[in-house]
Amino acid sequence: MSKAKAAPPPGCTININDPQVQEAAIQIQASYRGHRSRKELREKGPPKILQELKDVVLVEGSAAKLECRVSAFPDPFIVWYKNGKELNDGPKYRYVFEDPDFVALVVRDGVLADLGKYTVTIKNPFGQTSGSACILVEVPAKVSKGPDNIKAKRGTTVVLKAEISGEPPPDVAWLKDGDDIEEDDRVFFDVGDTNTILTIKNAKVSDAGKYEVFVENNLGTDQSFARVDIL
């Protein structure tokens, strides 16, 4: 003799003919198929970059972060390069894995030498991919080494030299006793990548005075002074 089945508690029955129940079932099935499909792709496909690296600006003394979003399974092997040279994970360059989908490189204590093209290579047993971006470095204008004081004889050539830096490259001016120097064939200055040189030919007594080199870019200014005596 079979036992009669107890009725389910109130509110625990499902009417499969209810449109809302049918719609929920369709969504659950679709979600499962999507999850299974993504899982299969991750297992069988090579790494893919879903969000590319972007150029970043690094201000001297600060840190910069390059990051991209990837899809890769099994977990990929990541290597970062600067201008084709491999970067080791350490105090200067830090490999960062924020979650399974994001990889990043942090460049610390920024200097002008950090300017360059950075590439990330992402590899797993099914293949590899890579992406690149540039770090642009901004450095305040600076007179790294000012000109020396000079004593020279009349009729000789006087040369004042200063070492400069900055990114963007700074504008450069030379002044004598607070006034801009007007260049001619006898008194003129040149500006290179890392230095500037003021030349005074056939020096005169009137050339004696206080000379200043002044540099400026959008991040700052700097200057240095030197005394020139003509004997």
Side-chain angles (χ1 to χ4, degrees), residues 14-166:
I14 297 177
N15 182 1
I16 61 173
N17 295 316
D18 186 332
Q20 291 184 342
V21 172
Q22 294 176 353
E23 178 64 25
I26 292 172
Q27 291 179 1
I28 291 171
Q29 291 174 2
S31 175
Y32 173 75
R33 285 197 299 270
H35 171 76
R36 185 178 60 186
S37 175
R38 288 192 297 273
K39 186 172 183 292
E40 289 173 352
L41 284 173
R42 285 170 64 86
E43 289 177 346
K44 296 180 180 179
K48 295 180 181 179
I49 294 180
L50 305 179
Q51 180 180 310
E52 297 286 346
L53 294 170
K54 295 181 179 179
D55 295 348
V56 297
V57 175
L58 171 61
V59 177
E60 185 182 39
S62 66
K65 184 179 183 182
L66 292 165
E67 64 179 352
C68 64
R69 182 167 171 254
V70 303
S71 173
F73 187 83
D75 290 340
F77 182 66
I78 307 293
V79 180
W80 287 89
Y81 300 86
K82 179 195 171 191
N83 297 330
K85 182 179 179 181
E86 183 176 341
L87 301 174
N88 295 320
D89 185 21
K92 175 64 177 177
Y93 303 105
R94 191 68 181 167
Y95 286 31
V96 178
F97 305 93
E98 296 182 334
D99 62 46
D101 293 333
F102 280 89
V103 297
L105 177 74
V106 175
V107 181
R108 297 172 173 171
D109 302 320
V111 294
L112 188 57
D114 292 323
L115 178 74
K117 180 181 179 182
Y118 290 75
T119 300
V120 60
T121 297
I122 305 159
K123 181 189 298 185
N124 73 7
F126 300 100
Q128 73 175 52
T129 187
S130 62
S132 298
C134 291
I135 286 184
L136 311 172
V137 181
E138 290 190 343
V139 181
K142 184 177 181 181
V143 179
S144 308
K145 184 179 183 302
D148 295 324
N149 296 327
I150 290 179
K151 292 183 178 180
K153 294 182 178 180
R154 283 178 289 180
T156 61
T157 296
V158 175
V159 176
L160 295 174
K161 181 178 180 180
E163 296 178 6
I164 61 174
S165 61

